[in-house]
Structures are given as structure tokens and as C-alpha cells.
Amino acid sequence: MNKIRNHAIRCIEDEAQALLDLIPQIDDSFDRAVELMFNCHGKVIVTGVGKSGHIGAKIAATLSSTGTPSFFINPLDVFHGDLGVMTCDDVVLAISNSGQTDELLRFIPMVLHMNIPIIGMSGNPHSLLAKYSTTHVNVSVKKEACPLNLAPTSSTTATLAMGDALAIALMKLRNFQPKDFAQFHPGGELGKRLLTTAQDVMHTDDLPVITKEMHLGEAVINVSKGKLGLGIAMEDGHIVGLITDGDIRRAMEKWQAEFFNKTVADIMTSSPKMVMAGTKISEIQQIMNRHKIHSVLVTDDQRHLLGVVDHYRCMI
């Protein structure tokens, strides 16, 4: 069993080293590749055959989800009508470890004829792909992690990592923000948090409204009925304060027998955290974490109470 594990460890070590060896290969050609994609007014069309094609499909998906419109096309399909998806505003990212893949090279003249820039990505800077590319990104590795040095392992890992590097560089250039990411991932947890607002999740029924003159004994009953762990002090339709379960416990410890003679005004927070109805859940979570609170009040611009968002509602 230890021998099996050693093979696995050696594979990971070899691939990790291959990635580190990529760093010196990020040069002016990489800059030019990023520039071509950043200034592209059409789409980045990624292409490759076999394992390079699988890696290319993932790179295209990453680019598309991070602000660079992109899709993958198999060069074999180009010969059967798919060339029609390409325009002179596009950029082609062509991937081949050897840079000599026949099916890919037969596709190149069509791209050149349309005056579409080509970003070549291969492990051979002297290949035909590199020769005919507008710019060439070198992803060469010293050896494959495969013990026979045959199966694409380190080379595909290096290509995938370089594709990620291109995508990340473009994200920074575009000042791509979490809200932008959410627009491309509306069904995911991140998209949900970044697109959902306070209005979508807030409690609105039977809110525990109290007055600041109310004695704490009566206030405790209202807080308990509200089941939110808080009471909202209102005056003339406006929020004037907030008490929580924690405030009540601390007041009982402090005043003991005198507790029931005290009023809400004696323990309330006069400046509770409030947000507007359109505030994103992700921002509300940041407010809660920063101030170590479990709820915020939702109001309009006149401090009229609309609802309450608590920690659990942020998890919906």
C-alpha cells in the first residue's frame, strides 16, 4: 500500500514542479495574449483536439464565467459547417501540446484567411502552431508525471494552469467584481448571496414592536412572542432603539430584583444596525460579522420599519 501511495505522491510532486517551472515562461508573449483577448470585440474561440480539447473546453468555460465571452469548438467540426460561428472580431486560442497536431493545423489557414488573431498555446515554441500564431504561450514541461513519460499529465495540468492565469489576468484588467461573477452564476450559492436582497428574505409578520417606556418585564414577553431574539423600540412610527436577548440577560444579572422596575430605554441600543430593502444579503452578512450581531433592521429612507433579517434568513 505504501508503494501505491508513493506513486501518487510522486505524481503530484511532478505536476506541482511542472507548474512552478511555468513561471519563467510567462513573458511578453503572455502579455500580448492577454492584450488580444482584452481588446477582443467578439468572442474568444478556444480549440484543440483530444486531451487538449478537454482542457480547452474548461478554459473556455472559465473565461466565459469571468467576463470574457468564450466557447470551445472542435477543429474537426469546423470542416462541417461550424466555421460560420467565427467573425473577424474574434480571437482564437489554439491548444496543442506538440504544436504539430494535424487536425488543428488544417484549421489554422481558415483562421488566417479571416484575419482572426491566433493565440497559440503549446509545449513547443518552434512548432508550426507557434510559427503561424500572432503570439505563442509556452507551456512546455520537462517530463510527464506518467512513469512511461507518455500519458498527458504534467502537460495538461500546465496547460490548464496557464489558461487559469490568462483568465485571472483578464479579471484584474476588467476589474471583475463578485457581483459580476454572480451574474454568470445565478444558480450557485455565491450567486444567490450576491443577488438576493433584504426584501427577498426579511421577516415582516408579527414583528416584536415595543416602546422605550415599556417596563422590561412586559418587553421580555413581547421579545419571546416575536421569536427573533429581539424587540424593536418604536416612537411615532420611527425606530428609536433595539433590545436583544443578550441585553436582557445582562440587565437581569446587573439589576437582579430591580430588573422589573427598569424600562426598555435603560438597556436599548439607540443606533441599531439598519439596512435598506435593496441591500444584498452578502453585504448584510459582512455587517453582521463585522459588528458581531445576529440581526439587522430593514427600513426605508425615513427609518420606517419594513422587516428584520437575521442570520438564519441569510442562509435561505
Side-chain angles (χ1 to χ4, degrees):
M1 181 60 70
N2 286 337
K3 288 185 178 180
I4 294 175
R5 292 179 185 175
N6 288 338
H7 292 314
I9 292 170
R10 182 60 183 273
C11 173
I12 293 173
E13 289 176 342
D14 286 345
E15 294 199 8
Q17 187 59 52
L19 293 183
L20 292 175
D21 291 341
L22 280 183
I23 295 175
Q25 295 169 198
I26 298 179
D27 54 16
D28 293 342
S29 296
F30 180 91
D31 296 342
R32 177 61 175 151
V34 172
E35 181 184 351
L36 285 170
M37 289 191 281
F38 180 72
N39 293 320
C40 175
H41 297 294
K43 306 165 292 296
V44 175
I45 299 173
V46 185
T47 186
V49 178
K51 302 297 190 298
S52 293
H54 295 308
I55 297 299
K58 191 276 179 184
I59 292 174
T62 299
L63 289 169
S64 288
S65 69
T66 53
T68 300
S70 177
F71 65 87
F72 174 79
I73 186 171
N74 190 313
L76 298 175
D77 294 331
V78 172
F79 302 112
H80 301 281
D82 283 3
L83 187 63
V85 303
M86 298 174 59
T87 72
C88 58
D89 290 326
D90 297 334
V91 170
V92 167
L93 172 59
I95 304 171
S96 167
N97 184 48
S98 68
Q100 301 288 124
T101 306
D102 181 63
E103 297 90 342
L104 187 64
L105 292 177
R106 286 193 285 127
F107 168 57
I108 297 300
M110 305 179 193
V111 181
L112 294 175
H113 179 71
M114 297 178 67
N115 293 316
I116 297 175
I118 300 172
I119 300 169
M121 185 181 293
S122 81
N124 183 1
H126 305 293
S127 63
L128 287 175
L129 175 60
K131 177 180 178 181
Y132 290 111
S133 295
T134 309
T135 188
H136 178 262
V137 178
N138 186 6
V139 289
S140 60
V141 298
K142 294 177 181 177
K143 65 171 183 172
E144 298 288 2
C146 166
L148 301 177
N149 198 31
L150 294 175
T153 44
S154 296
S155 59
T156 49
T157 300
T159 304
L160 183 61
M162 189 64 80
D164 287 343
L166 288 169
I168 297 306
L170 286 163
M171 285 180 68
K172 297 300 289 185
L173 278 178
R174 298 185 195 283
N175 192 30
F176 197 79
Q177 299 297 315
K179 61 179 175 52
D180 303 312
F181 189 86
Q183 291 178 350
F184 296 107
H185 300 77
E189 185 62 29
L190 175 62
K192 186 168 152 186
R193 284 192 291 111
L194 291 171
L195 296 179
T196 303
T197 66
Q199 186 173 2
D200 297 324
V201 300
M202 64 186 182
H203 294 273
T204 58
D205 298 328
D206 300 321
L207 297 176
V209 174
I210 55 181
T211 66
K212 65 179 183 179
E213 295 84 10
M214 183 180 290
H215 283 91
L216 290 180
E218 184 179 354
V220 168
I221 295 173
N222 282 271
V223 169
S224 178
K225 286 181 178 179
K227 299 180 180 179
L228 294 177
L230 54 80
I232 307 158
M234 303 282 292
E235 187 174 83
D236 297 327
H238 294 84
I239 298 168
V240 294
L242 178 78
I243 64 172
T244 67
D245 284 339
D247 295 327
I248 293 170
R249 287 195 304 272
R250 286 186 288 272
M252 293 181 73
E253 291 174 1
K254 178 180 179 180
W255 287 311
Q256 298 183 21
E258 294 296 317
F259 172 81
F260 292 99
N261 294 325
K262 301 296 182 179
T263 65
V264 169
D266 292 322
I267 69 169
M268 73 181 187
T269 300
S270 58
S271 299
K273 299 304 174 187
M274 294 180 280
V275 299
M276 303 293 283
T279 305
K280 300 290 192 296
I281 291 300
S282 58
E283 184 178 343
I284 293 174
Q285 288 177 316
Q286 291 176 3
I287 292 172
M288 290 181 181
N289 291 336
R290 187 183 315 124
H291 297 283
K292 295 180 174 59
I293 56 178
H294 65 77
S295 303
V296 296
L297 306 182
V298 184
T299 71
D300 60 19
D301 54 7
Q302 300 297 318
R303 289 171 66 102
H304 295 132
L305 180 65
L306 301 178
V308 175
V309 175
D310 60 15
H311 171 73
Y312 298 104
R313 285 280 167 158
C314 288
M315 299 171 64
I316 291 176

